[in-house]
């Protein structure tokens, strides 16, 4: 009987990743079947509730204000608009709505209050609600939990070592602190990363060490293939080979057996056969919908046709964890504290990020 471990080493994970592919797939699929229904896929819809204008310098992100990517700044969506989008997603087969805001961190005030109302509204639709809003404090996490938030996404992106070559405006420790703040509530944790940013195999293993040694491990781990967007510092990165995605999915499944592994960004570049291999390797969650925040994604009807062809079903809401209760704003135990935490701002500069920023200034 396979058991979850929290003491994986980088060397062990690299050895798993490098196994002969058929052996790797067999091991991952066997473990997957022990902990999950191999024919069930959790379907999420990712909704950008506040787009563009982000102050961060993430080298992969088209929403960074400092890069010229054609992404237009959009203000925070209204609660009614979000509800309409959630109902549309539900009717298409999605069980979860993930709301993303292009913020560095959560700030107490009217906009956060509006997001809390969005969470209450979607939870009452009997859908799982996830948010990705940047860094947040323990009190802010408790307010989200009280509103009925099911999951909070905060990706580590890559290894701690390579992180410094991707982002200079925040520190790795802030990511871990935010996850720790979420863990002080009943909200589940969603945290993963991106491959194809120029990182080494050691970096991919390092990210999995950071995630797998958390106790408990994240309930959801998205594995993204970089979508190289024109205007970002990583616009010239070559697409990730499907075999790299399959190996990364399988390795993630082995080191985090109870986690839902999400096949995330980059699916538009994958064939149905490639995606089927990823599901066999242990992926059991996807993002569906025309867009992932600002990058393209397969149409949900195409995904449903693929599931039908593969004999797979969509997972119902709250199959893995119970539905949270929602407390109305007027009955809330937790209130805004007006916090102003000093999140890390590292001193170093990343040359390719700075060069791309200068390009925008010249334009």
């Amino acid at each position: 009987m396979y058991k979850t471990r929290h003491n994986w080493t980088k060397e062990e994970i690299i050895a798993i990743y490098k196994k002969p592919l058929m052996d790797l797939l067999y091991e991952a699929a066997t473990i997957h079947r022990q902990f999950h229904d191999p024919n069930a896929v959790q379907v999420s819809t990712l909704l950008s509730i506040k787009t563009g204008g982000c102050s961060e310098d993430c080298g992969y992100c088209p929403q960074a204000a400092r890069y010229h990517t054609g992404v237009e700044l959009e203000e925070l969506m209204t609660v009614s608009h979000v509800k309409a989008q959630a109902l549309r997603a539900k009717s298409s087969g999605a069980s979860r709505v993930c709301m993303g805001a292009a913020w560095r961190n959560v700030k107490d005030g009217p906009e956060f209050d509006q997001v809390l109302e969005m969470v209450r509204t979607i939870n009452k639709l009997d859908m799982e609600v996830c948010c990705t809003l940047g860094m947040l404090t323990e009190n802010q996490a408790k307010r989200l939990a009280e509103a009925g938030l099911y999951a909070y996404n905060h990706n580590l992106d890559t290894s701690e070592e390579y992180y410094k070559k991707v982002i200079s405006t925040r520190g790795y420790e802030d990511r871990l602190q935010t996850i720790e703040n979420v863990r002080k509530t009943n909200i589940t944790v969603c945290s993963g990363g991106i491959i194809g940013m120029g990182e080494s195999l050691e970096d991919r293993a390092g990210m999995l060490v950071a995630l797998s040694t958390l106790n408990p491990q994240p309930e959801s781990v998205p594995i993204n293939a970089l979508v190289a967007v024109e205007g970002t510092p990583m616009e010239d990165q070559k697409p990730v080979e499907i075999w790299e995605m399959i190996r990364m999915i399988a390795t993630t499944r082995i080191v985090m057996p109870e986690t839902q592994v999400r096949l995330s960004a980059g699916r538009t570049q994958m064939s149905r056969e490639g995606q089927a291999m990823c599901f066999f390797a242990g992926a059991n969650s996807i993002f569906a919908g025309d867009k992932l925040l600002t990058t393209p994604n397969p149409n949900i009807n195409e995904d449903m046709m693929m599931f039908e062809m593969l004999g797979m079903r969509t997972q119902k809401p709250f199959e893995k964890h119970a539905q949270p209760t929602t407390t109305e704003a007027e009955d809330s135990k937790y209130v805004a504290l007006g916090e102003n935490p000093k999140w890390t701002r590292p001193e170093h500069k990343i040359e390719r990020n700075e060069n791309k920023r200068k390009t925008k200034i010249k334009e």
Side-chain angles (χ1 to χ4, degrees), residues 4-290:
T4 301
R5 286 177 49 187
H6 300 279
N7 60 348
W8 289 99
T9 66
K10 190 183 292 186
E11 292 71 27
E12 287 177 310
I13 292 175
I14 291 172
I16 291 170
Y17 187 99
K18 286 184 172 181
K19 281 188 175 187
L21 186 63
M22 298 308 159
D23 293 342
L24 176 61
L25 287 175
Y26 180 78
E27 182 177 352
T30 302
I31 291 169
H32 184 56
R33 287 170 178 269
Q34 180 182 324
F35 292 90
H36 306 274
D37 178 348
N39 295 311
V41 180
Q42 189 275 319
V43 179
S44 297
T45 291
L46 185 55
L47 182 62
S48 182
I49 59 172
K50 190 274 177 187
T51 305
C54 184
S55 62
E56 303 279 54
D57 76 334
C58 307
Y60 54 79
C61 187
Q63 298 203 64
R66 65 190 66 205
Y67 307 137
H68 190 57
T69 61
V71 172
E72 295 184 8
L73 179 65
E74 296 178 14
E75 297 302 318
L76 187 65
M77 279 187 182
T78 63
V79 175
S80 60
H81 189 179
V82 167
K83 181 179 180 179
Q85 295 279 47
L87 286 169
R88 178 186 172 197
K90 184 177 183 179
S91 67
S92 298
S95 63
R96 182 183 300 186
V97 174
C98 300
M99 299 186 290
W103 293 336
R104 169 177 163 79
N105 58 277
V106 173
K107 295 179 181 178
D108 292 339
E111 288 196 328
F112 185 43
D113 291 341
Q114 192 167 322
V115 171
L116 292 171
E117 195 56 39
M118 293 175 190
V119 172
R120 295 186 186 98
T121 299
I122 297 174
N123 192 42
K124 290 174 188 175
L125 298 177
D126 295 326
M127 296 187 76
E128 297 171 6
V129 195
C130 178
C131 283
T132 178
L133 311 170
M135 282 89 75
L136 81 166
T137 66
E138 181 180 342
N139 186 67
Q140 290 164 343
K142 287 177 177 176
R143 294 182 73 196
L144 284 165
E146 199 178 45
L149 191 69
Y150 182 87
Y152 194 81
N153 168 263
H154 204 59
N155 289 337
L156 295 184
D157 290 337
T158 185
S159 70
E160 185 170 6
E161 293 76 19
Y162 196 68
Y163 192 85
K164 297 169 185 175
K165 298 180 181 179
V166 177
I167 303 159
S168 73
T169 51
R170 60 171 183 249
Y172 206 74
E173 61 273 22
D174 292 339
R175 316 300 283 176
L176 296 172
Q177 182 60 55
T178 292
I179 291 172
E180 186 177 328
N181 290 340
V182 172
R183 277 292 180 217
K184 294 173 183 176
T185 73
N186 64 348
I187 300 171
T188 63
V189 168
C190 174
S191 185
I194 308 169
I195 67 171
M197 299 190 293
E199 75 288 343
S200 65
L201 173 53
E202 287 73 16
D203 291 314
R204 294 177 187 179
M207 180 186 76
L208 293 182
V209 167
L211 291 168
S212 64
T213 52
L214 294 173
N215 194 0
Q217 293 174 345
E219 285 80 2
S220 177
V221 172
I223 301 296
N224 298 276
L226 176 71
V227 178
V229 177
E230 185 177 357
T232 65
M234 294 186 177
E235 63 182 1
D236 295 324
Q237 288 293 135
K238 293 181 180 179
V240 169
E241 292 281 344
I242 186 61
W243 306 113
E244 295 178 77
M245 281 297 292
I246 293 168
R247 285 187 177 276
M248 191 68 182
I249 293 286
T251 304
T252 303
R253 170 52 66 224
I254 292 168
V255 300
M256 288 180 275
E258 298 177 70
T259 291
Q260 291 207 273
V261 180
R262 180 172 295 136
L263 182 60
S264 296
R267 286 200 302 120
T268 54
Q269 299 168 346
M270 301 177 196
S271 67
R272 284 184 175 178
E273 294 85 350
Q275 292 180 69
M277 289 282 280
C278 287
F279 293 133
F280 183 73
N284 60 344
S285 179
I286 64 165
F287 278 123
D290 299 337

